Amino acid sequence: MSSAEVSLDFSSDEFLADPWHIYKELRQADPVHWSEAFRAFLVTRYDDVVALLADRQVVSGFPMRSSRRLFGPTLLDADGPRHRELRKLFTPLFAGASVKRLRTEILIPAVDQVLDSIEAEMGSMDDVEIEFMERVAVGVPYAMVTRLFGLPPEDAAWLRPRVLPLAGAIEFPATSLDTAVASKAELVDYLTDKLASRQEGDRMPFLDLVFPPGEPVDESLLGTATLFLLAGTETSVATIGKIMYAILAHDVELSALADSEYRDQVVRETLRWEPPSHTILRYASTDLNIHGVDVPRRSALLLSVGSASRDENTFSDPDTWRPGRPDQRMLAFSSGPHTCLGIQLALAEFDTLFERLSLRFGGVQRSGSLDGIRRGFWRLRERGHIFRRPDHLYVRMERRRAGRSEADA
């Protein structure tokens, strides 16, 4: 039995601290690994993950998966014609022209709301220390999603404690499904009330698309609406934390992120190097054989995006964070028929945040206690597997020096 086989516990301290050596051993010695703990096959090589994500014999829908039991039938768990029908419904909101408009109407105001509060706290001082995860990584996605749904921005503080149990219910290992179901019921009641009180002229981009004004509310889509509340927040929380961590760990000057091409490279490379979600769950709809391993029909497949993103047979020097690498393929948004619908909006969100940070502040430095040194730079303790993120990230935001142009800000 390999050390990887012994250590494959997504919640263990060893895995949370450094899953990469475990993934590497599995890629080399056991690329289709049966996990007794999860009663599933873990697939770790890039080519296999991509092929299975595109394979129509590998499906997303399964009646007993946690997300189906929590949200009901949604885009996440649909396949075939129903999946295409739902994607067609949501596509207008996430298409390029719409995202460009949402950047101006929603993303910039959401980001500036958060950064304004930091500048106000700084006052006349040269810098201010903040806990970046709570203030920015959480603040921006929730400010964004409240605006996207047309909800009062101040309701973000009420929303997050009810969204977090939804994330926990589909984690590995999962938290209480009963608690998540109760939270989802609260969110459904909340959204139902907001829809009932909607007035002509109210700006509710997401809700207006899913529940057109003047038409009866399709209750079967309320589960999908709560799923989008989760998808639009906690994955972004993790990603924003990862990007800032990568910037600090590699001594990237904040001013360098004013360059749009470099900023895009930083975001995409971080999504490859430290994807926020490490695993995509799928099911075999028929008997399969992968690298000589028999995978019976109805078996669960854990497609390891985390491992695939560091596959040495696909990426040169995969453990190194290197913006501008020639091959910037990434699986953070999945691939194949279930590629994340919100990919362009999410990338625009990250781009907007780090652009505004570079324009409004003179610099950012790591602060507070560090959790250790590895491979020449500091690392943070992380938690989660599906929503893998730093626990805390203390930084010092520096005032922009006088004389530098803020015309673009």
Side-chain angles (χ1 to χ4, degrees):
M1 182 175 291
S2 71
S3 62
E5 190 172 4
V6 173
S7 305
L8 190 60
D9 176 357
F10 294 161
S11 63
S12 70
D13 289 341
E14 178 187 4
F15 182 89
L16 292 175
D18 184 6
W20 310 111
H21 75 94
I22 298 172
Y23 288 151
K24 184 174 183 178
E25 184 172 346
L26 287 170
R27 285 194 304 272
Q28 294 176 348
D30 193 9
V32 185
H33 170 81
W34 170 252
S35 168
E36 188 65 35
F38 298 118
R39 305 295 298 172
F41 292 91
L42 181 69
V43 181
T44 53
R45 290 179 182 170
Y46 182 93
D47 288 345
D48 295 333
V49 169
V50 170
L52 290 169
L53 285 171
D55 192 337
R56 297 193 181 278
Q57 298 181 103
V58 176
V59 298
S60 181
F62 189 73
M64 295 308 294
R65 70 180 289 178
S66 296
S67 56
R68 173 69 71 86
R69 294 161 66 194
L70 175 58
F71 298 108
T74 67
L75 183 71
L76 179 66
D77 300 314
D79 295 290
R82 179 56 177 164
H83 179 248
R84 291 191 290 274
E85 178 185 348
L86 287 170
R87 285 186 75 91
K88 185 177 180 180
L89 169 64
F90 294 110
T91 295
L93 187 62
F94 299 107
S98 179
V99 169
K100 186 176 180 179
R101 184 183 71 255
L102 292 175
R103 182 183 184 117
T104 300
E105 296 179 357
I106 289 177
L107 294 180
I108 290 176
V111 169
D112 283 347
Q113 172 193 326
V114 172
L115 300 189
D116 285 347
S117 71
I118 297 172
E119 286 192 333
E121 184 177 339
M122 184 181 295
S124 61
M125 298 184 294
D126 289 335
D127 57 26
V128 64
E129 184 181 77
I130 64 169
E131 204 287 277
F132 184 85
M133 291 305 298
E134 189 63 32
R135 290 290 295 277
V136 181
V138 170
V140 168
Y142 278 86
M144 183 278 290
V145 85
T146 51
R147 285 168 168 79
L148 185 66
F149 275 63
L151 309 174
E154 60 270 20
D155 285 5
W158 182 88
L159 285 169
R160 193 173 195 231
R162 289 151 183 85
V163 170
L164 284 175
L166 309 185
I170 57 176
E171 263 288 7
F172 288 106
T175 55
S176 168
L177 182 61
D178 289 341
T179 300
V181 168
S183 291
K184 184 231 177 180
E186 285 190 80
L187 289 167
V188 166
D189 288 345
Y190 170 81
L191 292 175
T192 301
D193 288 344
K194 294 302 180 185
L195 288 167
S197 60
R198 177 171 49 183
Q199 300 293 317
E200 185 177 352
D202 286 349
R203 183 87 172 104
M204 308 176 84
F206 180 86
L207 294 179
D208 286 346
L209 179 70
V210 183
F211 308 101
E215 297 183 13
V217 171
D218 184 346
E219 295 186 0
S220 70
L221 290 174
L222 286 167
T224 295
T226 58
L227 173 64
F228 270 82
L229 278 175
L230 170 60
T233 52
E234 291 305 315
T235 305
S236 291
V237 170
T239 303
I240 290 168
K242 299 283 189 150
I243 295 169
M244 180 55 78
Y245 162 61
I247 289 168
L248 294 170
H250 297 91
D251 298 317
V252 174
E253 292 289 337
L254 193 58
S255 59
L257 299 178
D259 180 274
S260 60
E261 182 178 357
Y262 180 66
R263 190 169 62 248
D264 182 64
Q265 292 172 352
V266 164
V267 169
R268 290 176 181 273
E269 174 65 351
T270 303
L271 284 164
R272 180 204 65 83
W273 183 66
E274 282 276 3
S277 180
H278 276 216
T279 298
I280 296 172
L281 177 62
R282 292 289 185 267
Y283 296 88
S285 67
T286 187
D287 293 343
L288 301 174
N289 185 280
I290 310 170
H291 295 303
V293 176
D294 289 325
V295 177
R297 175 177 175 269
R298 298 174 69 86
S299 295
L301 291 161
L302 298 176
L303 307 182
S304 180
V305 170
S307 175
S309 296
R310 299 251 192 138
D311 190 334
E312 54 281 341
N313 290 320
T314 300
F315 301 100
S316 173
D317 193 15
D319 293 324
T320 299
W321 185 78
R322 195 171 74 228
R325 63 169 62 240
D327 187 350
Q328 283 206 311
R329 284 179 288 177
M330 60 179 180
L331 289 174
F333 296 96
S334 189
S335 97
H338 279 269
T339 299
C340 176
L341 256 178
I343 180 171
Q344 295 304 321
L345 182 61
L347 289 172
E349 178 185 13
F350 309 143
D351 182 79
T352 301
L353 169 59
F354 286 93
E355 177 189 40
R356 305 298 282 180
L357 279 169
S358 73
L359 295 174
R360 296 187 57 170
F361 294 91
V364 58
Q365 303 294 330
R366 57 185 183 261
S367 180
S369 61
L370 307 183
D371 290 313
I373 304 294
R374 188 183 301 275
R375 298 191 188 96
F377 56 81
W378 60 289
R379 292 191 61 87
L380 298 174
R381 281 180 297 191
E382 296 188 285
R383 55 193 166 106
H385 183 79
I386 301 300
F387 301 95
R388 182 173 164 83
R389 62 197 184 280
D391 248 340
H392 298 288
L393 183 50
Y394 292 94
V395 303
R396 189 162 291 279
M397 304 300 304
E398 299 173 353
R399 178 180 297 282
R400 191 176 181 85
R401 292 186 182 89
R404 297 180 69 176
S405 171
E406 297 187 17
D408 292 331

